[in-house]
Amino acid sequence: MRDKVCLVTGASSDIGEGIVQRFVEEGAIVILLSRSLSAMEDVRKRVGSMDRTVSMVCDITNTSQVLHAVDRIVAEYGRIDVLVNNAGIITSSTHFHRMPQSDIDNLININLQGMFSVTRAVLRSMTDINQGSIVNIGSISSERAIPKVHLAVYSSTKAALSMFTKSIAVEYARRNIRCNCVNPGIINSGMIKPYLDDPEARKVLEARLPMGRIGEPRDVANAVLFFASDESSWVTGTTLNVDGGRSASEG
């Protein structure tokens, strides 16, 4: 990963920060992409490598902003070696028939349309040099519905991401551009963090996991690092579940 130019969307999230941290540790140059400059700058300070990281404000649902951001990166560094499509949202558990249309639209616009937009823009650069690695962040919710957890639209967007991964992998394989997907399970991040602050709630979740612990952002980041690096140079179109064995036991 030494001196590879890496673009990470949703970089101000917990998992995004974990990915940035691991990439920097391996010597990469990392461009953080998010809608919040202050949040990205906080990540950069915590990572502690200001000279190897750059914050870039961008709304991935705005195509012109995406194109401008990618053009700036290519103009500055000459290429983009790695794209991590980490940006995404999840709504609270709601019966599908009660979901506001605005929530449905937001899930599709960010989790799918935004990801499409960034990937398309970056592929234009990767095809110029005939190399690159794209890593998509999915979810184990893409593989099965969870009783009493109503995430029909979110899960559908992540299931679509899985097929998108395979399609891009095959379409661009002869150009030496790889595309893989990481499906996190229950991770100590985002909306679930306040829930995990309750010791009893944490115990309930941990009891359902074969490995007996909640995943950390670094667990996801390590899997992303493998797909991004040359260590996985003959791996493409693959989805890796990072879930402590949950999908193996309940899938």
Side-chain angles (χ1 to χ4, degrees):
M1 293 292 288
R2 174 65 58 183
D3 293 330
K4 284 185 179 289
V5 180
C6 306
L7 173 59
V8 179
T9 71
S12 60
S13 68
D14 294 312
I15 290 177
E17 180 174 340
I19 294 167
V20 173
Q21 179 74 63
R22 286 299 287 121
F23 280 7
V24 167
E25 289 172 358
E26 296 296 323
I29 298 167
V30 188
I31 295 89
L32 292 72
L33 209 68
S34 174
R35 288 181 291 189
S36 172
L37 178 60
S38 61
M40 287 188 288
E41 289 299 290
D42 287 343
V43 168
R44 293 180 65 213
K45 290 173 185 175
R46 287 192 294 269
V47 167
S49 187
M50 303 294 280
D51 60 325
R52 307 292 291 182
T53 58
V54 176
S55 295
M56 194 170 291
V57 176
C58 179
D59 179 353
I60 65 170
T61 66
N62 185 312
T63 303
S64 62
Q65 287 188 28
V66 169
L67 291 173
H68 179 65
V70 171
D71 285 346
R72 282 178 58 195
I73 297 167
V74 174
E76 177 69 22
Y77 300 100
R79 69 194 189 280
I80 296 174
D81 297 303
V82 176
L83 165 64
V84 181
N85 282 312
N86 174 63
I89 60 169
I90 184 171
T91 54
S92 58
S93 175
T94 306
H95 284 292
F96 178 66
H97 72 281
R98 292 177 177 167
M99 284 190 72
Q101 186 63 44
S102 59
D103 285 356
I104 295 173
D105 291 342
N106 282 337
L107 283 163
I108 294 172
N109 288 338
I110 295 174
N111 293 0
L112 284 179
Q113 296 284 14
M115 183 267 302
F116 289 160
S117 181
V118 175
T119 304
R120 182 174 56 180
V122 170
L123 276 170
R124 290 170 179 164
S125 171
M126 288 182 171
T127 54
D128 287 341
I129 58 174
N130 283 325
Q131 68 176 28
S133 177
I134 299 169
V135 186
N136 298 321
I137 305 301
S139 169
I140 59 169
S141 296
S142 67
E143 298 184 348
R144 72 194 192 286
I146 305 171
K148 299 182 181 180
V149 180
H150 313 302
L151 298 171
V153 180
Y154 170 79
S155 298
S156 296
T157 63
K158 293 302 183 178
L161 182 59
S162 180
M163 190 63 231
F164 181 72
T165 297
K166 295 177 183 178
S167 298
I168 293 299
V170 172
E171 183 174 346
Y172 291 90
R174 295 302 176 93
R175 294 178 179 266
N176 197 34
I177 298 169
R178 299 181 297 109
C179 186
N180 293 288
C181 183
V182 174
N183 279 352
I186 300 174
I187 306 296
N188 184 20
S189 64
M191 291 175 62
I192 201 170
K193 289 178 77 171
Y195 185 77
L196 295 175
D197 288 338
D198 180 344
E200 291 305 314
R202 178 182 277 270
K203 285 181 181 179
V204 169
L205 286 177
E206 290 175 338
R208 298 179 62 187
L209 299 172
M211 295 194 73
R213 73 170 177 87
I214 305 300
E216 295 294 333
R218 193 173 181 89
D219 294 314
V220 179
N222 284 331
V224 172
L225 177 64
F226 170 67
F227 282 141
S229 74
D230 294 338
E231 299 296 331
S232 61
S233 62
W234 208 54
V235 180
T236 194
T238 296
T239 296
L240 175 61
N241 288 349
V242 180
D243 65 353
R246 185 178 182 187
S247 58
S249 63
E250 298 181 3

